[in-house]
Amino acid sequence: LEGLKQLCEMRIAKDLTLENLMQTFELSEAFSAPQLAKRCMLFVLEQYDEFVAMHGHGTLLKLMERMVPQLRKSLVEDVQSASLEAGVKEPDAPDTA
């Protein structure tokens, strides 16, 4: 079922527009679709000037506040997965004492 979900995420991401971006990101949050959320973030960055012209800086900042934590989590998971596939040992946690 996870594979079907990923296919749906990829298909929806292909239809991103400035008009449907915020609703699509909301769907990614509601259905725990991290790849779709990541694609929404990249789309905002690619279309930055147009997004700001259409929606304003305030909307961009509010959207980024929601996107960044999810993007960070997704990127950390991607790096960890790639490290495991490459056989790289994760570094020990830093000593905070």
Side-chain angles (χ1 to χ4, degrees), residues 37-57:
K38 193 182 325 183
R39 184 63 197 119
C40 288
M41 178 72 157
L42 292 172
F43 186 83
V44 168
L45 295 174
E46 291 166 355
Q47 304 295 323
Y48 177 86
D49 292 331
E50 293 85 355
F51 184 89
V52 170
M54 180 179 282
H55 300 287
H57 278 103

Side-chain angles (χ1 to χ4, degrees), residues 19-92:
E19 291 80 14
N20 70 17
L21 175 74
M22 290 185 285
Q23 294 86 359
T24 302
F25 183 71
E26 288 172 6
L27 287 173
S28 77
E29 290 177 308
F31 293 100
S32 300
Q35 296 305 316
L36 182 57
K38 193 182 325 183
R39 184 63 197 119
C40 288
M41 178 72 157
L42 292 172
F43 186 83
V44 168
L45 295 174
E46 291 166 355
Q47 304 295 323
Y48 177 86
D49 292 331
E50 293 85 355
F51 184 89
V52 170
M54 180 179 282
H55 300 287
H57 278 103
T59 300
L60 176 67
L61 292 176
K62 288 177 186 174
L63 188 60
M64 288 294 170
E65 285 175 0
R66 291 172 49 205
M67 287 181 159
V68 169
Q70 191 168 348
L71 179 65
R72 181 184 182 280
K73 180 183 176 197
S74 179
L75 290 173
V76 167
E77 290 170 356
D78 288 350
V79 168
Q80 289 173 340
S81 177
S83 295
L84 289 174
E85 289 176 9
V88 176
K89 181 184 175 206
E90 290 189 33
D92 294 330

